[in-house]
Amino acid sequence: MDDERWMGEALAEAEKAFRRDEVPIGAVVVKDDRVIARGYNKVEARGRATAHAEILAIDAASRVLHDWRLDGCTVYVTVEPCHMCMGAFYLSRVGRVVFGAMQPRSGACGSIDNFHEAELFNHRIEVTGGVRKMESLSLLQRFFEGVRSG
């Protein structure tokens, strides 16, 4: 299935974050059956709370498309997006979000809130969760085990 395939691309981005001692979250933006942008967490490297994988990926997609509107795009992200990232998805008109692991502390797509069900700007975002969930969870667990033991 395509969701599995594209989530594999997002997992590859999360691995980049892991290797750079960032929380291992990766994202890709897909349009017309191809990846047009990629991103992984760079919060520590950039010293910015907004340097989430999703934000970096949609910024890159906007540059590729020369438009802030990401109509017809799907974002694949390894972990359930937070409110900030969901807000950015709404503002950029992303049509669909697919994520891997739930984020019980800050997830806005079922964990602490269902922000994706908000009807903002006359725009709906379709959300699918749990795609390659165990791989996303495993990467997060490896990262946080290393943080605790280091």
Side-chain angles (χ1 to χ4, degrees):
M1 182 176 201
D2 284 343
D3 285 352
E4 302 276 329
R5 171 180 158 208
W6 299 127
M7 188 60 73
E9 296 286 331
L11 284 161
E13 293 300 307
E15 286 283 350
K16 291 177 187 176
F18 182 87
R19 289 192 301 271
R20 290 166 177 81
D21 294 324
E22 296 275 358
V23 175
I25 299 174
V28 296
V29 180
V30 173
K31 183 175 175 85
D32 298 327
D33 203 37
R34 69 181 182 93
V35 174
I36 63 166
R38 300 170 179 276
Y40 60 88
N41 267 7
K42 293 184 180 176
V43 172
E44 298 299 328
R46 293 192 177 178
R48 292 193 182 105
T50 57
H52 287 199
E54 301 96 317
I55 300 294
L56 300 176
I58 64 172
D59 283 350
S62 292
R63 285 192 300 276
V64 167
L65 297 175
H66 305 288
D67 195 350
W68 59 268
R69 293 173 199 86
L70 301 182
D71 295 319
C73 290
T74 299
V75 178
Y76 291 84
V77 59
T78 56
V79 176
E80 179 185 7
C82 68
H83 286 85
M84 175 182 70
C85 293
M86 285 303 296
F89 294 153
Y90 269 109
L91 291 170
S92 61
R93 308 297 194 269
V94 165
R96 184 168 181 240
V97 173
V98 179
F99 69 88
M102 299 296 284
Q103 176 46 276
R105 291 190 176 136
S106 62
C109 298
S111 286
I112 63 167
D113 192 5
N114 289 308
F115 190 49
H116 64 289
E117 294 176 354
E119 293 186 32
L120 302 174
F121 312 108
N122 297 319
H123 178 69
R124 302 276 299 164
I125 298 176
E126 179 186 338
V127 173
T128 303
V131 176
R132 296 182 71 168
K133 171 178 81 172
M134 295 313 294
E135 291 164 84
S136 297
L137 278 174
S138 174
L139 192 53
L140 287 167
Q141 288 168 341
R142 282 185 11 231
F143 176 79
F144 286 111
E145 286 169 1
V147 167
R148 281 191 287 271
S149 67

